[in-house]
Amino acid sequence: MIRRLTRLPDWTLLLVVAVTLAYFFLTHEGLYALDDYYYSRYAQQLLDGTFRLAPDPQGLLHDPLKERYLIFGPVAVFFRLFGLNIISATLWPLLATLGCSGLIWRLYRRREPVVASGAMLLLGLHYFTLNLTNYLYPDNILMFWCLASGAVLLRGREPGRRAGWWGAGFALLNFAALLSKETIAYYLPFYLGVLGLDAWRRRNGRFWLTALGTGAVLLTGYLGLYQHFTGDALYRIHLIEHTNEFLRDGNFLAGNRAALLSRVTWQPLAFFVGAGMGLLLVLAGMAATRPAGPQPEASDRRFWLLLAATTLVFYWVGSTSLSSYNPITLLPRMTTPLLPPLALAAGFGLQRVVRSGGLRAVVAGLLLLGLAAWLHDPLSVVYAVPGLFLLLVGIGGRLRSWPDRLRPGTSALAAATVLVLAGVLTIRPVYFMRKPSVSAHFEQDRVIRQHLSGPAGGTVLVDDYLIGNYDFYYGFRVPAGLQYRRYWARDSVQLAPKEHAWLLLNRATLSNDELTRKLIRYSPDSVLSWYPRRRLVAQDGRVELYEVELGREVRSEK
């Protein structure tokens, strides 16, 4: 079967890359999150030479984002190459996401083509993997480092490898992950377990000695750098603890103790299923079942299964704080270190189902149908379609009337299963590709560049969201004499002679449910009613720019 399937991973990789690129460009909301803004600002500071490692002298800022150098460092390179804009700012998470599929393809294209295809689909077309491609968050970047670290640990310990080089690479990749996000620490128990097992069996000594030595040198230099600039070698750890203290009202022992029991029992399962990860969990469970006979991929399968299991335990009951018990927030973007090993374990489970069919396929199908019934919402289709397919394969494979080409162990069944997965996993991304923008960032960017970037001074009145990040549109260099103020500050604005006042109205922002529930408390019509003397200067889609006349009492004060 393997020979006939050698092209399947190639076609799968092409599909994943095509869908990822289409999603990146068709759903990009521009500058939409605080992380985008802060990381971009740090990247620009690197280019300007104004970035400072030293902490805030007043101790007011609690910003662990500033310590993630391999998030905004590469972004600075893209800014230098392509200019400062939101596309160049988000190229790094896009490339990291594509890199994960490329790594899986490289690992298993020839060895286990069904595993490669299944894992690429389950990881690359997982909706929240795609969703994080066009935001400058650290999560997909960390996911790439995590997958690469795991792959090097697996392959570098094989006989015949240049163990020293692989060990050094393992240390470097984990250090890169540490410079991206702290949750690489969730892999530490698995690493220690593999180290202990190798030590017990007296194997792979050169790999581990090189890895530990390289890691010690890197950490010593890293801690020494902090000691030099901040006077505290453990500054980053203390910063995280200060951040947890700042947010203590929401943790499970201070402000949210009543929810602790549910958080460490059933809530994670409900979260994983609701996030679409139930498919990965069920198929990974199939990889954990006993095989019918000897399996050549057993060591790889156990490796990814155990890494997924230990990481899953940390997500379930682990803590983000060393000084208090504070489980990680159940948000889809927090699961990216878990996704690569889980997707690969699920790939091995999918291969087992395709090879054996029968009871294993029936059980998997029934579990997926059960998850679909539990959810009973539009996401249920992600479970119901493959569930019905696997149930049909499990039952039909034992019927005489079942086509021979689709019996367990055939390349046609493997290809059909991969095709079913690809079809069902693309439904949600395609749905969002067809939806209109909720931010109108690119229209707003064009209006600002064309009409509000000249030398003339004045005041631009904007909403409460744009007031926090308008300098991004100017490459963090706002023209002299131009100031931005909130809409409600209109009565306090004072204009010098020949200065203008503009009203920038983004109807998409003012009707965005995510913003209007908390930040914005006014509608486009109410804003326009505050400025009856206005003249439309430009309009681009749902973004409008007016020149407005402020009250006489304001001008008379000048």
Side-chain angles (χ1 to χ4, degrees):
M1 183 175 73
I2 292 179
R3 286 184 180 179
R4 297 181 180 180
L5 291 174
T6 52
R7 301 297 294 175
L8 186 61
D10 300 341
W11 289 108
T12 304
L13 179 63
L14 286 175
L15 173 66
V16 171
V17 170
V19 173
T20 303
L21 291 175
Y23 187 91
F24 177 82
F25 288 106
L26 294 177
T27 68
H28 209 304
E29 293 293 350
L31 184 66
Y32 194 72
L34 283 177
D35 288 37
D36 294 344
Y37 175 77
Y38 283 114
Y39 287 130
S40 296
R41 189 174 66 181
Y42 295 142
Q44 184 59 39
Q45 288 175 355
L46 284 177
L47 293 178
D48 293 341
T50 58
F51 182 83
R52 296 291 180 267
L53 183 62
D56 173 33
Q58 295 181 338
L60 299 177
L61 298 181
H62 303 277
D63 185 11
L65 306 187
K66 190 177 181 182
E67 315 309 315
R68 297 170 178 174
Y69 310 113
L70 280 187
I71 302 300
F72 55 85
V75 173
V77 176
F78 290 125
F79 283 169
R80 176 69 72 189
L81 293 174
F82 307 116
L84 199 159
N85 57 73
I86 195 59
I87 297 298
S88 57
T90 48
L91 280 178
W92 181 210
L94 171 65
L95 292 175
T97 306
L98 294 174
C100 290
S101 295
L103 280 175
I104 294 173
W105 177 85
R106 183 69 179 84
L107 278 171
Y108 291 109
R109 176 201 174 205
R110 297 189 182 280
R111 295 187 181 209
E112 305 292 345
V114 176
V115 174
S117 295
M120 281 190 287
L121 290 175
L122 292 167
L123 179 64
L125 297 187
H126 175 57
Y127 171 70
F128 290 104
T129 297
L130 292 170
N131 179 255
L132 289 168
T133 57
N134 48 26
Y135 298 98
L136 186 49
Y137 282 169
D139 305 285
N140 280 17
I141 299 167
L142 175 66
M143 182 170 69
F144 174 77
W145 298 127
C146 288
L147 176 57
S149 299
V152 168
L153 180 61
L154 175 65
R155 292 286 176 258
R157 294 163 46 253
E158 292 178 342
R161 303 283 186 181
R162 301 180 68 179
W165 289 104
W166 285 85
F170 176 67
L172 286 168
L173 286 169
N174 280 281
F175 187 65
L178 180 64
L179 297 184
S180 299
K181 195 175 181 181
E182 303 79 11
T183 44
I184 183 60
Y186 281 15
Y187 277 24
L188 184 59
F190 180 77
Y191 291 163
L192 293 176
V194 175
L195 172 60
L197 184 62
D198 280 353
W200 175 262
R201 296 177 176 176
R202 297 184 178 181
R203 298 188 312 188
N204 304 308
R206 180 175 296 178
F207 175 92
W208 285 112
L209 285 174
T210 308
L212 293 173
T214 305
V217 171
L218 291 172
L219 283 177
T220 300
Y222 184 62
L223 297 178
L225 189 71
Y226 275 110
Q227 181 66 39
H228 174 74
F229 283 101
T230 70
D232 180 8
L234 301 178
Y235 171 76
R236 189 176 180 188
I237 295 176
H238 295 152
L239 181 63
I240 295 171
E241 290 301 320
H242 286 319
T243 303
N244 283 323
E245 177 66 19
F246 181 73
L247 301 173
R248 65 185 180 277
D249 290 342
N251 74 42
F252 286 87
L253 293 183
N256 200 19
R257 183 177 297 180
L260 178 61
L261 181 60
S262 58
R263 169 59 185 83
V264 297
T265 53
W266 61 268
Q267 274 188 358
L269 178 60
F271 160 71
F272 290 132
V273 174
M277 294 173 61
L279 184 58
L280 287 86
L281 292 172
V282 169
L283 291 175
M286 295 301 103
T289 58
R290 295 185 64 181
Q295 300 291 327
E297 85 291 350
S299 61
D300 282 27
R301 176 183 57 82
R302 286 195 298 267
F303 180 91
W304 297 114
L305 195 59
L306 288 173
L307 178 54
T310 54
T311 310
L312 181 63
V313 168
F314 256 76
Y315 273 91
W316 212 294
V317 297
S319 174
T320 62
S321 173
L322 298 175
S323 60
S324 62
Y325 182 61
N326 187 32
I328 195 167
T329 307
L330 293 178
L331 291 174
R333 72 184 186 91
M334 300 296 184
T335 64
T336 47
L338 172 63
L339 286 176
L342 188 61
L344 282 161
F348 281 103
L350 181 69
Q351 178 177 258
R352 283 197 167 184
V353 170
V354 168
R355 280 179 176 174
S356 62
L359 181 61
R360 188 176 280 118
V362 170
V363 172
L366 289 175
L367 287 174
L368 291 174
L369 289 174
L371 295 182
W374 182 20
L375 282 182
H376 58 273
D377 63 16
L379 184 61
S380 297
V381 69
V382 175
Y383 301 127
V385 172
L388 286 171
F389 178 80
L390 293 179
L391 187 61
L392 187 63
V393 167
I395 296 174
R398 301 198 174 190
L399 300 177
R400 292 183 179 180
S401 58
W402 188 258
D404 290 338
R405 294 186 62 188
L406 292 177
R407 290 192 180 279
T410 61
S411 57
L413 178 60
T417 306
V418 168
L419 187 62
V420 169
L421 278 180
V424 74
L425 290 173
T426 54
I427 292 175
R428 195 175 184 188
V430 169
Y431 168 75
F432 282 97
M433 288 183 210
R434 295 168 56 88
K435 292 190 68 175
S437 171
V438 297
S439 68
H441 166 88
F442 298 100
E443 296 91 331
Q444 184 167 266
D445 181 62
R446 286 193 294 267
V447 169
I448 290 175
R449 290 179 184 275
Q450 293 172 11
H451 300 278
L452 296 173
S453 297
T459 298
V460 185
L461 296 148
V462 297
D463 57 70
D464 288 83
Y465 176 70
L466 182 57
I467 195 65
N469 56 46
Y470 64 88
D471 54 344
F472 176 88
Y473 295 84
Y474 298 94
F476 300 101
R477 297 185 183 92
V478 181
L482 187 67
Q483 64 171 339
Y484 275 69
R485 301 290 299 275
R486 290 180 171 87
Y487 292 144
W488 50 262
R490 60 193 180 277
D491 292 334
S492 63
V493 173
Q494 299 182 1
L495 296 175
K498 297 183 179 181
E499 281 190 343
H500 298 272
W502 293 276
L503 170 68
L504 184 59
L505 187 74
N506 187 331
R507 292 181 179 270
T509 296
L510 300 189
S511 59
N512 186 341
D513 291 342
E514 292 186 3
L515 298 177
T516 55
R517 285 197 302 265
K518 296 180 179 179
L519 183 62
I520 295 174
R521 303 291 185 180
Y522 37 78
S523 67
D525 291 338
S526 63
V527 171
L528 291 177
S529 69
W530 300 337
Y531 301 93
R533 291 180 290 180
R534 62 182 184 271
R535 177 178 66 86
L536 182 64
V537 175
Q539 182 173 3
D540 190 335
R542 303 186 69 188
V543 179
E544 300 162 10
L545 178 66
Y546 297 88
E547 184 175 6
V548 296
E549 292 186 25
L550 301 179
R552 291 181 180 177
E553 70 279 6
V554 176
R555 291 186 179 274
S556 64
E557 292 175 3
K558 297 297 293 183

